Amino acid sequence: MRRGWKMALSGGLRCCRRVLSWVPVLVIVLVVLWSYYAYVFELCLVTVLSPAEKVIYLILYHAIFVFFAWTYWKSIFTLPQQPNQKFHLSYTDKERYENEERPEVQKQMLIDMAKKLPVYTRTGSGAVRFCDRCHLIKPDRCHHCSVCAMCVLKMDHHCPWVNNCIGFSNYKFFLQFLAYSVLYCLYIATTVFSYFIKYWRGELPSVRSKFHVLFLLFVACMFFVSLVILFGYHCWLVSRNKTTLEAFCTPVFTSGPEKNGFNLGFIKNIQQVFGDNKKFWLIPIGSSPGDGHSFPMRSMNESQNPLLANEERWEDNEDDNRGGLSQKEET
């Protein structure tokens, strides 16, 4: 009886958590719907008097709005990609692993299993990265998301504002969403500003539209500042071919920790997210190369291009030189 109550309570809590997880998305949707009403109706149709200006504003606004909404939709509803079956332990291997009580033997078992897989990253202690909840050997750059309760390929982070885990399958869409969000806020702020000044100076009648226009500028500027910082950070991550998790925790390879282990150079790093075909870079269509289970590494490219091996040394030398100059200036 008690067990039944516990199961029912646990199920109810999971259901409540799933419902509450959509609250941030609902907030964003409501703000966007209000901004659409305020811009299209209260600004363009009521406040703007010039017919030509109305047409230009509305055409440009809807062009940006379509891509903004499209990328947001893709970020929310593109499911995170999980490792395929060959990374999962077979029933026999799972039984052997769970029945083995000696940690060193378990570690060796995982090493033997990983030899058949394209896995080159390790834990901080040098062991094979294994998820004891999903019962699989984690592919490179794969991590377990406690919110989604699954292992996600090339996991970047779990974003509550899209109620989804950002990883290999939707990281391109998330970046595009940030870019079009910045553009959306910037366009609203620049086109509304002149009418904000007119309302402030009393050149326009104080009607209901005044409050929508004033608040629209405030909200657009507020979101623009926060979004441009976030977008700039992710642009930096893309330029270095890093995920958010890798930026905070240096990946460990079989040869040891390497903060630039996946850095292939600026252009190739961008292509790792957006693909080789530039026609698809601005469109929310899947174009990232590979299957998310393995990725080209810096060490492999260094043998083909020795300049890559020296690039990091040059950057480190520049940082050291700057540090030395700053110390001299202080003294």
Side-chain angles (χ1 to χ4, degrees):
M1 185 70 176
R2 291 180 179 177
R3 186 178 179 182
W5 277 107
K6 288 182 179 179
M7 290 179 65
L9 180 61
S10 177
L13 289 174
R14 285 197 300 268
C15 182
C16 290
R17 189 174 67 176
R18 289 175 183 173
V19 173
L20 291 175
S21 66
W22 285 100
V23 171
V25 177
L26 180 61
V27 170
I28 295 297
V29 170
L30 291 176
V31 170
V32 171
L33 290 176
W34 168 79
S35 70
Y36 184 90
Y37 166 79
Y39 191 89
V40 173
F41 293 94
E42 299 295 344
L43 177 71
C44 292
L45 299 183
V46 176
T47 305
V48 178
L49 300 178
S50 170
E53 191 175 357
K54 285 184 180 183
V55 172
I56 294 172
Y57 277 13
L58 287 172
I59 290 176
L60 293 176
Y61 173 82
H62 282 93
I64 297 172
F65 182 82
V66 166
F67 279 94
F68 164 73
W70 188 6
T71 53
Y72 190 46
W73 175 275
K74 294 285 284 187
S75 299
I76 295 173
F77 295 106
T78 301
L79 296 177
Q81 192 169 338
Q82 302 179 62
N84 61 31
Q85 198 60 37
K86 71 177 182 179
F87 288 87
H88 289 75
L89 298 188
S90 64
Y91 180 79
T92 305
D93 290 336
K94 180 182 174 182
E95 289 289 320
R96 286 175 52 221
Y97 182 82
E98 291 179 345
N99 293 332
E100 181 56 60
E101 298 180 354
R102 294 168 293 178
E104 65 276 5
V105 178
Q106 287 183 324
K107 183 178 179 180
Q108 187 59 45
M109 290 172 61
L110 293 177
I111 291 175
D112 294 336
M113 297 175 195
K115 289 178 180 178
K116 306 173 185 177
L117 300 171
V119 176
Y120 302 99
T121 53
R122 297 290 185 263
T123 63
S125 61
V128 173
R129 300 193 315 125
F130 177 73
C131 181
D132 55 0
R133 284 163 288 188
C134 299
H135 299 103
L136 58 82
I137 294 175
K138 295 179 183 178
D140 294 342
R141 316 184 84 175
C142 174
H143 296 274
H144 186 89
C145 178
S146 58
V147 180
C148 297
M150 66 174 72
C151 282
V152 179
L153 294 178
K154 197 187 177 184
M155 179 178 172
D156 188 86
H157 69 287
H158 185 91
C159 181
W161 300 108
V162 300
N163 192 28
N164 201 0
C165 206
I166 306 302
F168 175 78
S169 62
N170 60 356
Y171 186 58
K172 175 189 173 182
F173 307 144
F174 178 74
L175 280 173
Q176 291 173 327
F177 164 63
L178 291 180
Y180 288 118
S181 298
V182 170
L183 183 61
Y184 182 74
C185 293
L186 181 63
Y187 178 78
I188 288 177
T190 53
T191 52
V192 167
F193 184 73
S194 61
Y195 291 93
F196 169 82
I197 298 298
K198 290 179 180 180
Y199 274 122
W200 188 267
R201 292 176 176 175
E203 297 177 9
L204 293 174
S206 181
V207 293
R208 184 186 63 178
S209 300
K210 174 182 178 179
F211 300 100
H212 285 284
V213 171
L214 298 182
F215 197 57
L216 188 62
L217 178 64
F218 171 76
V219 172
C221 291
M222 181 182 67
F223 275 95
F224 174 78
V225 172
S226 58
L227 285 168
V228 79
I229 294 172
L230 182 61
F231 179 60
Y233 174 68
H234 277 278
C235 287
W236 176 81
L237 289 177
V238 171
S239 71
R240 296 302 182 94
N241 199 4
K242 290 183 178 182
T243 64
T244 300
L245 293 174
E246 291 166 355
F248 283 95
C249 184
T250 301
V252 179
F253 296 82
T254 52
S255 57
E258 177 54 63
K259 64 179 182 179
N260 290 315
F262 297 104
N263 191 346
L264 309 176
F266 182 74
I267 299 299
K268 289 186 178 180
N269 290 343
I270 295 176
Q271 292 174 342
Q272 283 294 299
V273 176
F274 294 96
D276 299 329
N277 195 336
K278 295 181 180 180
K279 292 188 297 183
F280 301 122
W281 283 15
L282 300 179
I283 304 174
I285 297 175
S287 59
S288 300
D291 58 2
H293 292 83
S294 59
F295 301 89
M297 294 181 294
R298 185 186 186 92
S299 58
M300 293 182 178
N301 284 269
E302 284 175 356
S303 59
Q304 300 173 2
N305 185 3
L307 289 175
L308 280 175
N310 296 324
E311 181 181 346
E312 184 181 351
R313 298 175 191 170
W314 295 334
E315 292 176 354
D316 292 340
N317 288 337
E318 289 178 1
D319 293 339
D320 293 340
N321 291 335
R322 291 171 186 168
L325 288 174
S326 61
Q327 289 177 358
K328 290 180 181 179
E329 290 175 357
E330 291 175 0
T331 57

